[in-house]
């Protein structure tokens, strides 16, 4: 591994390193100043190869930059904005906004030092603030993959949690490391926080992020690590032993999100948010266990029980009158002085006392139905009607449609298989970049899910590509295509396996030559049609303020030219270099009028002083499909 970058070093003539913020298995994070943005502070993330390799290959660098572009789609106030990627001195860098604050790992350690942890109200608010962030990235087909207290910062400015360190970039680096060293790559995700399917097979779903968020929540509540809270023999969580005062509603939400099987968890953020909202408005109607009651006497139910019969002196008798009446012994003296009357009254009272005592004993010995423990459930306090009570079931499937999107990175000629499960109201869109003429083969394993192949304009590529089990043909357009999967009507849930292969168009079969003839002169050959003009994709490039160069990347192939327009003044030095290519890429540099600059045709690098000023053209082209990285510089 290369040594850390020293403080004061300026990268790309723009980013001045101030200090190291942290270091992990994937690389280092630096605090830097962006000289092109008024010395605004930013975070530089350096990704390094595994031990034994000095640098990533050119193909790996291009893959990293292309995949990191997905992160630029994220525009959320609780996610640092991704600014740029670049490669310098055989190192890969990612630039993003710097967040001033403290991560939740350090906040928890501060609480533990004071003998406390996060309380339920704080954790409930934490979940309510984090779920919209996950909903935003999941809607773009991005799974974070590395949610933990270390990767969530409480921002100092407003106290909101900010999600950092996306595992999607780490996963790309892992693939680069595997390609570079041909050995098993490091798993993305923290042990204990990432679910089993992510740690074992590398697959991650929206429910995987919800699992990691729930683990983070129980760690904040209990102050203990997942290894202490999870029984890896019975595959169950026992975090409530360390936080017995948790409300039943919150416990149900967290336990469902912590389910071992992905299908048993919440399948979307909206499901979990709805359940958390219901739990917040609900009251528990369940008798606590003996252990919980002993730990928290205030939770013990009060049960009215009749007092044992204790006979008293029969000197008063209740009489139904408008006011209290008291009879004294003196008022009944004529009766009580008669011994026979006293004997009869005594026998009657004894008989009544025995009957009453027998009745009380029967009542006390009868099994009271009011103290049985019913099945735990959440009961919503009625708001619209004083008599209406709603009891939602945590596993109820929402009726509103849910749509997921996921970006596919297809290697030409290689088959990719994707497996998953869809409910009746869910749709998944697998997005990929395709070029006109490329051949796509897609097939479904199973009969519960159908697919539709959509062109970049959002319409099916042809009449046979809508709600089918398989499709094969050439792509009619260039751009982002979509394979949309939706379940067959009438099925509550269906599993699927989608196999996709993208191939370059097959070379045309050579036409047979003309048969030999005995004629002394061969007929004149028919005029051939002129070759079609190549498609030119033009993009204007501007050098950031304070910098002398910038870097772009893309792909080219037969019939397609990438043209970059750069404005420069007379006397300035223009340079163009393609340091990383994956095919027969060549550069042509042209004057503002379109004429080729002498010595700048069919090269990989060129530099020269400009005799005139204006918009210079840098064309990138290749005889076969190829990826490239182009560095353009303008200096005085």
């Amino acid at each position: 591994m290369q040594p850390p970058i020293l403080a004061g070093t300026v990268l790309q003539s723009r980013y001045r390193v101030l200090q190291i913020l942290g270091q992990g298995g994937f690389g280092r994070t630096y605090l830097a100043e962006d000289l092109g943005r008024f010395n605004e502070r930013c975070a530089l993330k350096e990704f390094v190869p595994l031990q034994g390799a000095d640098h990533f290959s050119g193909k790996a660098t291009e893959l990293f930059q292309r995949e990191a572009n997905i992160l630029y789609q994220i525009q959320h106030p609780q996610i640092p904005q991704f600014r740029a990627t670049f490669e310098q001195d055989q190192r890969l860098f990612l630039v993003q906004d710097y967040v001033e604050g403290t991560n939740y790992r350090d906040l928890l350690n501060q609480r533990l030092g004071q003998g406390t942890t996060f309380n339920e109200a704080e954790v409930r608010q934490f979940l309510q603030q984090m779920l919209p962030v996950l909903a935003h990235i999941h809607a773009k087909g991005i799974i974070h993959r590395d949610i933990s207290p270390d990767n969530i910062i409480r921002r100092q400015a407003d106290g909101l949690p900010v999600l950092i360190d996306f595992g999607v970039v780490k996963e790309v680096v892992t693939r680069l490391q595997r390609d570079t060293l041909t050995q098993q790559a490091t798993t993305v995700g923290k042990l204990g926080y990432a679910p089993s399917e992510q740690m074992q097979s590398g697959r991650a779903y929206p429910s995987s992020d919800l699992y990691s968020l729930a683990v983070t929540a129980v760690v904040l509540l209990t102050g203990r690590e997942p290894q202490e809270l999870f029984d890896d023999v019975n595959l169950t969580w026992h975090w409530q032993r360390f936080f017995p005062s948790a409300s039943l509603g919150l416990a149900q939400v967290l336990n469902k999100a912590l389910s071992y099987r992905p299908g048993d968890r919440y399948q979307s953020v909206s499901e979990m948010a709805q359940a958390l909202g219901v739990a917040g408005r609900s009251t528990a109607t369940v008798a606590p266990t003996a252990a919980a009651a002993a730990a928290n006497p205030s939770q013990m139910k009060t049960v009215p029980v009749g007092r044992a019969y204790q006979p008293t002196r029969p000197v008063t008798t209740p009489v139904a009158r408008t006011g209290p009446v008291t009879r004294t012994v003196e008022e009944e003296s004529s009766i009580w002085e008669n011994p026979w009357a006293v004997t009869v009254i005594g026998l009657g009272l004894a008989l009544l006392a025995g009957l009453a005592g027998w009745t009380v004993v029967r009542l006390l010995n009868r099994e009271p139905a009011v103290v049985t423990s019913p099945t735990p459930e959440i009961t919503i306090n009625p708001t619209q009607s004083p008599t209406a009570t709603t009891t939602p079931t945590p596993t109820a499937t929402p009726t509103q449609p849910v749509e997921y999107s996921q970006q596919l990175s297809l290697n030409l000629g290689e088959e990719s298989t994707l497996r998953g499960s869809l409910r009746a109201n869910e749709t998944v869109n697998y997005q990929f970049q395709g070029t006109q003429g490329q051949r796509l083969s897609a097939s479904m394993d199973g009969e519960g899910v159908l697919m539709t192949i959509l062109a970049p304009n959002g319409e099916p590529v042809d009449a046979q590509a809508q709600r089918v089990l398989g499709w094969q043909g050439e792509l009619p357009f260039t751009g982002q295509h979509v394979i949309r999967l939706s379940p067959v009507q009438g099925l509550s849930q269906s599993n699927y396996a989608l196999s996709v292969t993208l191939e370059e168009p097959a070379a045309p079969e050579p036409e047979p030559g003309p048969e030999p003839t005995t004629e002394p002169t061969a007929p004149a050959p028919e005029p051939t049609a002129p070759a079609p003009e190549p498609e030119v994709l033009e993009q204007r490039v501007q050098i950031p303020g304070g910098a002398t160069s910038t870097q772009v990347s893309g792909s080219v192939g037969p019939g397609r030219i990438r043209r970059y327009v750069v404005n420069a003044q007379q006397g300035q030095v223009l340079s163009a270099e393609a340091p990383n290519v994956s095919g027969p890429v060549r550069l042509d540099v042209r004057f503002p009028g379109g004429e080729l600059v002498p010595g700048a045709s069919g090269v990989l690098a060129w530099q020269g002083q400009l005799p005139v000023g204006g918009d210079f053209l840098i064309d990138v082209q290749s005889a076969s499909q190829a990826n490239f990285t182009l560095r353009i510089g303008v200096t005085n």
Side-chain angles (χ1 to χ4, degrees):
M1 180 185 297
Q2 298 186 10
I5 300 174
L6 298 178
T9 303
V10 178
L11 303 174
Q12 294 285 292
S13 303
R14 177 167 182 171
Y15 304 105
R16 178 187 292 121
V17 175
L18 299 179
Q19 66 182 71
I20 295 181
L21 295 176
Q23 180 169 326
F26 289 93
R28 309 180 184 94
T29 302
Y30 303 89
L31 177 63
E33 290 179 332
D34 188 346
L35 305 180
R37 295 175 63 90
F38 307 100
N39 294 342
E40 181 181 67
R41 290 193 168 190
C42 61
L44 287 182
K45 294 188 178 298
E46 175 195 1
F47 295 92
V48 299
L50 288 174
Q51 185 175 2
D54 295 331
H55 62 280
F56 294 115
S57 65
K59 178 181 179 181
T61 304
E62 172 59 25
L63 176 62
F64 169 79
Q65 292 169 340
R66 185 170 71 248
E67 293 294 335
N69 286 337
I70 299 174
L71 300 178
Y72 299 153
Q73 305 172 21
I74 302 176
Q75 299 285 337
H76 194 279
Q78 288 171 251
I79 298 176
Q81 179 63 50
F82 292 86
R83 296 293 181 186
T85 61
F86 63 88
E87 183 268 340
Q88 180 170 327
D89 300 329
Q90 299 178 343
R91 303 177 188 230
L92 295 177
F93 293 91
L94 185 71
V95 186
Q96 65 181 133
D97 288 346
Y98 174 68
V99 180
E100 186 75 30
T102 307
N103 67 45
Y104 276 78
R105 168 66 61 198
D106 293 339
L107 292 174
L108 179 59
N109 289 336
Q110 294 173 11
R111 297 284 184 96
L112 293 175
Q114 301 169 359
T116 63
T117 60
F118 285 78
N119 59 42
E120 178 170 332
E122 291 175 312
V123 170
R124 187 184 294 275
Q125 182 184 40
F126 167 79
L127 293 173
Q128 292 171 340
Q129 293 171 337
M130 283 297 301
L131 286 174
V133 183
L134 297 185
H136 179 77
I137 65 174
H138 290 175
K140 297 183 177 297
I142 299 173
I143 309 298
H144 186 278
R145 300 170 183 264
D146 200 12
I147 295 175
S148 69
D150 304 85
N151 290 338
I152 305 175
I153 295 177
R154 177 184 283 175
R155 188 162 48 203
Q156 183 176 340
D158 53 16
L160 289 176
V162 178
L163 187 59
I164 64 171
D165 277 356
F166 275 66
V168 63
V169 176
K170 296 178 182 178
E171 184 191 25
V172 173
V173 174
T174 300
R175 289 159 55 191
L176 306 188
Q177 293 168 341
R178 182 175 63 245
D179 295 341
T180 302
L181 299 181
T182 64
Q183 66 181 33
Q184 185 176 1
T186 305
T187 303
V188 177
K190 290 183 176 63
L191 184 63
Y193 290 90
S196 59
E197 72 273 5
Q198 183 175 324
M199 299 299 292
Q200 295 174 4
S201 65
R203 296 192 182 98
Y205 315 98
S207 65
S208 307
D209 276 353
L210 297 179
Y211 178 97
S212 300
L213 180 64
V215 176
T216 300
V218 299
V219 169
L220 296 179
L221 285 172
T222 63
R224 298 174 181 267
E225 284 306 298
Q227 290 78 5
E228 301 178 68
L229 306 176
F230 182 68
D231 182 354
D232 55 3
V233 176
N234 299 311
L235 305 180
T236 56
W237 290 84
H238 49 81
W239 63 272
Q240 288 172 268
R241 297 180 187 174
F242 304 98
F243 197 83
S245 61
S247 68
L248 181 63
L250 180 63
Q252 284 182 327
V253 171
L254 293 178
N255 287 335
K256 182 175 176 65
L258 290 170
S259 298
Y260 185 78
R261 294 180 64 253
D264 294 337
R265 305 177 202 140
Y266 298 108
Q267 298 302 300
S268 67
V269 171
S270 61
E271 283 188 41
M272 184 170 177
Q274 182 181 11
L276 184 65
V278 169
R281 301 190 302 270
S282 65
T283 57
T285 60
V286 60
T289 62
N296 190 356
S298 64
Q299 293 185 357
M300 297 181 64
K301 296 190 69 171
T302 302
V303 180
V305 179
R307 196 186 318 176
Y309 178 76
Q310 298 178 355
T312 57
R313 290 195 314 160
V315 297
T316 60
T317 304
V319 180
R321 294 190 179 184
T322 57
V325 176
T326 305
R327 296 194 175 202
T328 63
V329 175
E330 288 75 9
E331 293 179 4
E332 302 292 339
S333 60
S334 60
I335 298 176
W336 297 110
E337 291 177 357
N338 189 333
W340 289 102
V342 171
T343 301
V344 172
I345 292 174
L347 291 174
L349 291 176
L351 181 61
L352 289 175
L355 181 62
W358 177 80
T359 303
V360 170
V361 171
R362 284 291 304 275
L363 291 174
L364 290 176
N365 290 334
R366 186 175 63 184
E367 184 179 354
V370 294
V371 295
T372 58
S373 297
T375 302
E377 61 181 14
I378 298 176
T379 304
I380 302 177
N381 290 331
T383 55
Q384 298 180 352
S385 172
T387 60
T389 301
T390 306
T391 305
T393 58
T395 57
T397 302
T399 56
Q400 61 182 2
V402 179
E403 188 167 336
Y404 306 111
S405 296
Q406 180 176 337
Q407 192 76 25
L408 293 183
S409 180
L410 300 177
N411 295 324
L412 293 176
E414 297 181 8
E415 182 180 87
S416 299
T417 302
L418 305 106
R419 303 180 186 274
S421 178
L422 286 180
R423 295 188 178 185
N425 64 318
E426 295 177 334
T427 301
V428 60
N429 295 322
Y430 290 109
Q431 304 169 347
F432 68 94
Q433 289 291 332
T435 303
Q436 181 179 2
Q438 287 181 335
R439 189 169 187 81
L440 175 69
S441 299
S443 62
M444 299 291 302
D445 183 8
E447 298 181 355
V449 178
L450 299 177
M451 67 177 173
T452 300
I453 314 297
L454 301 177
N457 60 3
E459 298 295 329
V461 293
D462 61 28
Q464 287 74 40
Q466 189 168 6
R467 293 189 65 78
V468 294
L469 288 173
W471 185 86
Q472 185 174 4
E474 292 186 355
L475 300 180
F477 303 102
T478 296
Q480 180 167 272
H481 294 70
V482 174
I483 302 176
R484 174 170 295 169
L485 305 185
S486 56
V488 175
Q489 294 184 357
L491 298 180
S492 60
Q493 185 169 346
S494 302
N495 298 325
Y496 66 87
L498 171 65
S499 299
V500 184
T501 305
L502 188 63
E503 300 175 312
E504 288 289 1
E509 293 291 336
E511 297 183 0
E515 296 182 1
T517 178
T518 57
E519 294 292 331
T521 57
E526 296 183 1
T528 58
E533 289 292 328
E535 178 186 14
V536 179
L537 303 178
E538 186 172 295
Q539 176 182 342
R540 178 171 289 276
V541 177
Q542 294 183 347
I543 308 297
T548 58
S549 66
T550 188
Q551 186 168 287
V552 294
S553 60
S555 61
V556 290
R560 185 170 71 255
I561 296 176
R562 294 277 185 176
R563 172 169 291 174
Y564 298 96
V565 182
V566 185
N567 186 269
Q569 305 299 321
Q570 181 179 0
Q572 288 184 320
V573 176
L574 174 65
S575 62
E577 179 186 6
N580 297 313
V581 297
S582 63
V585 174
R586 60 186 181 88
L587 308 179
D588 291 339
V589 183
R590 300 177 181 273
F591 286 112
E595 303 86 1
L596 281 170
V597 174
S601 177
V603 298
L604 280 176
W606 179 85
Q607 179 176 330
Q609 189 172 18
L610 304 179
V612 296
D615 289 338
F616 286 79
L617 312 178
I618 303 175
D619 292 345
V620 184
Q621 51 191 312
S622 175
S624 60
Q625 188 70 25
N627 300 319
F628 68 91
T629 299
L630 176 64
R631 183 181 295 118
I632 302 174
V634 177
T635 57
N636 293 321

